[in-house]
Amino acid sequence: MATIRERDREVVWHPYTPMKAWPEAIAITKGEGAYLIDEDGNRYLDAVASWWVNLHGHSHPYIAQKVGEQMGLLEHCMFAGFTHEPAVALAERLLEILPEGMAKIFYSDNGSTAVEVAIKMSLQYWRNKGIKKMRLVALENAYHGDTFGAMAVSGRSVFTEAFTDFLFDVTFIPFPKKGEEEKSLAALEVILTTGEVAAFIVEPLIQGSAGMYMYPPEILEQYFRLCRKHAALIIADEVMTGFGRTGPLFACDHIATPPDMVCLSKGLTGGSLPFGVTAATQDIFDAFYDDDRTKMLYHGHSFTANPSICAAALASLDLLLTDECSDNRNRIIASHAAFADSVRADEMILDIRQTGVILAIELKTDNPSYHTSMRDRLYRFFLDRKIIMRPLGNIIYILPPYCITNAELEYIYKSIRELLGEIKKG
């Protein structure tokens, strides 16, 4: 009988995968805590939380229980003209913990669509008010998703190359590299003074797919203040950073000035089911609240606010807001910091950086790009040690589920030390 892996090769097309170079996928049959288990019984330590989504561990029994209970009661109903308890309860709970000023929750399906909704809200907001502001601003090398609007506000790269001619124009300002922060701030202010900017969209504190590049909260605060000064809306893309990844619940909690919209996904359900949220202020909602039906937001999804997925998100929040989860995040943060200090001076490391539970190590290479040949060797190195590590070119990073133990972290650190030694040997 054919294995899952063999059958997969015949019928499945995988995301972000060069299918000729990587024709066979590892067939996972079970999840357990920080581990994924394949059809041969091999246990893989998930160091990247399965593309940054998993918060509490795989197949968490509490989340599974709550989803099962909801499935037996109401699995789904359309959300246009109807509502249900899980959606209302989740919106109430999210608004209690989101950055100050958020008043309404709009549900969608994933991170890209959460961003897509925010873009449409920001552009139509000004149109509904009769003000011509049509320009969007983003950081160079940003990544905000794979739908067309989300690609448009993402940095032009190999991710978007095939579609460049179809993307609308966006103004990109320089990333605030250490020592070049004022250059980035000045560029933002120059474009804001034109009065044409509808919104500034940003990954707060960390650019994920670009390479886990980080910048301090003081710069984020200045970005937001400049937008307030020049009446441009602020979209915080917290798809990756939300739900404790940077330490506090949201990256925007590091600063005083709140955004106008927050995009959420990934950890929203603890990584169990796909979901998206765009939170907005009352002011934004009010611009669409009109007898003129041309001013309504023409956007929706068949599975908007699916009750079973809302139940998963509510269960994940139950776990997230415990002292135990907070203690685990603090433990991981301290553990990362101690390891970083121990290897910082290694000659093979170009840079090492940390924000919250995210630790990134940039390795020296002659070809520092997303498609460097080093990337595949790094991936194989960790996979051979049964660690799931998905390098961003020559950059490796640890972004684990919060349930990961100290011993499991130490195994990852030990493997990284071994990697550094092998690189030195050539």
Side-chain angles (χ1 to χ4, degrees), residues 81-365:
F82 295 85
T83 191
H84 49 77
E85 173 61 22
V88 176
L90 178 58
E92 290 171 339
R93 292 191 69 184
L94 286 172
L95 293 174
E96 288 175 358
I97 62 173
L98 277 163
E100 179 185 356
M102 296 301 110
K104 299 291 181 181
I105 297 295
F106 191 98
Y107 292 110
S108 61
D109 293 355
N110 56 61
S112 295
T113 54
V115 167
E116 205 82 14
V117 169
I119 291 170
K120 292 172 78 170
M121 283 180 177
S122 64
L123 294 173
Q124 191 177 342
Y125 169 87
W126 295 109
R127 181 179 182 274
N128 285 357
K129 292 172 76 71
I131 300 172
K132 190 173 182 180
K133 284 178 176 273
M134 301 175 63
R135 184 178 295 276
L136 297 174
V137 180
L139 289 181
E140 289 177 350
N141 302 316
Y143 174 81
H144 294 290
D146 291 338
T147 52
F148 270 83
M151 280 196 296
V153 294
S154 298
R156 302 298 179 259
S157 67
V158 66
F159 293 2
T160 61
E161 186 177 344
F163 315 104
T164 299
D165 292 344
F166 303 95
L167 304 179
F168 56 79
D169 288 337
V170 172
T171 299
F172 293 98
I173 63 171
F175 180 80
K177 295 178 184 177
K178 190 172 183 179
E180 299 182 17
E181 295 91 346
E182 291 304 319
K183 179 181 176 182
S184 181
L185 291 165
L188 178 60
E189 185 152 34
V190 166
I191 190 63
L192 286 171
T193 55
T194 65
E196 300 172 354
V197 177
F200 172 58
I201 182 168
V202 66
E203 298 162 272
L205 304 187
I206 308 172
Q207 283 193 326
S209 295
M212 296 296 170
Y213 290 111
M214 303 173 185
Y215 59 98
E218 295 79 17
I219 300 303
L220 186 67
E221 174 69 22
Q222 291 184 69
Y223 284 151
F224 284 15
R225 286 186 183 181
L226 284 171
C227 290
R228 286 278 180 269
K229 176 182 176 183
H230 295 282
L233 297 176
I234 303 164
I235 303 170
D237 178 355
E238 294 237 25
V239 167
M240 181 190 77
T241 55
F243 306 104
R245 292 302 191 191
T246 68
L249 291 179
F250 300 98
C252 289
D253 291 340
H254 285 273
I255 64 174
T257 304
D260 298 289
M261 285 165 278
V262 178
C263 303
L264 303 172
S265 186
K266 293 194 182 293
L268 178 57
T269 64
S272 62
L273 290 166
F275 208 15
V277 154
T278 307
T281 62
Q282 188 67 42
D283 177 58
I284 290 175
F285 177 80
D286 287 345
F288 294 79
Y289 194 75
D290 200 286
D291 291 329
D292 182 351
R293 295 198 177 191
T294 66
K295 291 187 175 182
M296 65 180 275
L297 180 64
Y298 284 91
H299 190 101
H301 300 260
S302 300
F303 289 95
T304 295
N306 173 268
S308 305
I309 300 178
C310 287
L314 285 164
S316 179
L317 284 179
D318 287 343
L319 299 169
L320 179 73
L321 299 177
T322 62
D323 290 339
E324 180 184 4
C325 187
S326 178
D327 291 344
N328 278 336
R329 297 201 306 274
N330 290 333
R331 173 179 54 83
I332 294 167
I333 291 168
S335 185
H336 280 353
F339 170 69
D341 286 342
S342 74
V343 297
R344 195 177 303 278
D346 192 285
E347 62 185 282
M348 294 296 102
I349 294 177
L350 182 64
D351 188 29
I352 188 163
R353 44 192 180 264
Q354 179 187 1
T355 298
V357 302
I358 304 169
L359 178 67
I361 301 173
E362 189 167 354
L363 300 168
K364 290 181 180 177
T365 177

Side-chain angles (χ1 to χ4, degrees), residues 45-58:
L45 184 54
D46 191 354
V48 296
S50 287
W51 257 344
W52 324 339
V53 303
N54 193 282
L55 297 186
H56 312 295
H58 293 283

